[in-house]
Amino acid sequence: QSALTQPASVSGSPGQSITISCTGTSSDVGSYNLVSWYQQHPGKAPKLMIYEGSKRPSGVSNRFSGSKSGNTASLTISGLQAEDEADYYCCSYAGSSTFYVFGTGTKVTVL
Amino acid sequence: QVQLVQSGAEVKKPGASVKVSCKASGYTFTGYYMHWVRQAPGQGLEWMGRINPNSGGTNYAQKFQGRVTMTRDTSISTAYMELSRLRSDDTAVYYCARENPYSPGFDYWGQGTLVTVSS
């Protein structure tokens, strides 16, 4: 099972919006509404930002939103802030043989 | 409050085994699957497997089948991940992460345990 494909890097200025894509296949992203997104700052454990494709856990800013179309999921960060600079990973359930697969990760830089 | 506290860093020689622990508190340990995820230096996240703390049932990523064993001790709310026949490319930070079935995702993570494999 290959990792889901994400862009290596995305950048934006403060206040702008950026979108990170996460491309999988019909065996994972395309088949299940179980994509989650994680933010990871250097040297820290990942933090859940989005689950079930578009739902935010309590305490996560509404500047973060998720969506899915076909085999591609997306994470949008609006009103970009300096604290959003981090690595972001998507993750999808991939059935009862593979179970879970992570994306390749995207480094977000706030210019 | 929910906490997952992992054991400390380890240095192992190639061919050896390592066992990492993850002590849970602040919730009913047997009610949530525990997953293990690793991250090699400068690399991305990699799912290794999961354990159902209630039944002890496990599911492993195909890549680690035969080398990884996940167990738990419900009396002390602790999950374990043992990786055998270590190689240099097993050098990584290993995380435990709780799966929330009500909001599917890994909602709490341990602090990570660095395992270094070096001769």
Side-chain angles (χ1 to χ4, degrees), chain A residues 16-57:
Chain A
Q16 286 187 329
S17 293
I18 61 169
T19 297
I20 302 167
S21 60
C22 168
T23 301
T25 69
S26 58
S27 297
D28 39 63
V29 175
S31 285
Y32 305 97
N33 196 28
L34 291 172
V35 174
S36 50
W37 288 89
Y38 301 87
Q39 176 192 64
Q40 186 180 34
H41 287 108
K44 301 295 187 181
K47 175 186 176 183
L48 178 65
M49 305 302 285
I50 295 287
Y51 66 94
E52 285 186 323
S54 61
K55 298 178 181 178
R56 279 188 309 276

Side-chain angles (χ1 to χ4, degrees), chain B residues 14 28 39 45 50 68 74 88 101 109 112 118:
Chain B
T28 302
Q39 186 171 37
L45 301 173
R50 69 178 182 181
V68 71
T74 57
S88 57
W109 294 65
S118 174

Side-chain angles (χ1 to χ4, degrees), chain A residues 34 36 38 40 43-48 51-52 89 91 93 97-104, chain B residues 35 37 39 43-47 50 59-61 95 99 102-107 109-111:
Chain A
L34 291 172
S36 50
Y38 301 87
Q40 186 180 34
K44 301 295 187 181
K47 175 186 176 183
L48 178 65
Y51 66 94
E52 285 186 323
Y89 295 90
C91 179
Y93 180 71
S97 176
T98 302
F99 292 96
Y100 290 90
V101 59
F102 278 96
T104 50
Chain B
H35 294 245
V37 176
Q39 186 171 37
Q43 302 300 308
L45 301 173
E46 182 175 31
W47 185 79
R50 69 178 182 181
N59 302 108
Y60 303 137
Y95 294 101
E99 176 188 346
Y102 309 106
S103 51
F106 308 137
D107 61 349
W109 294 65
Q111 83 276 21

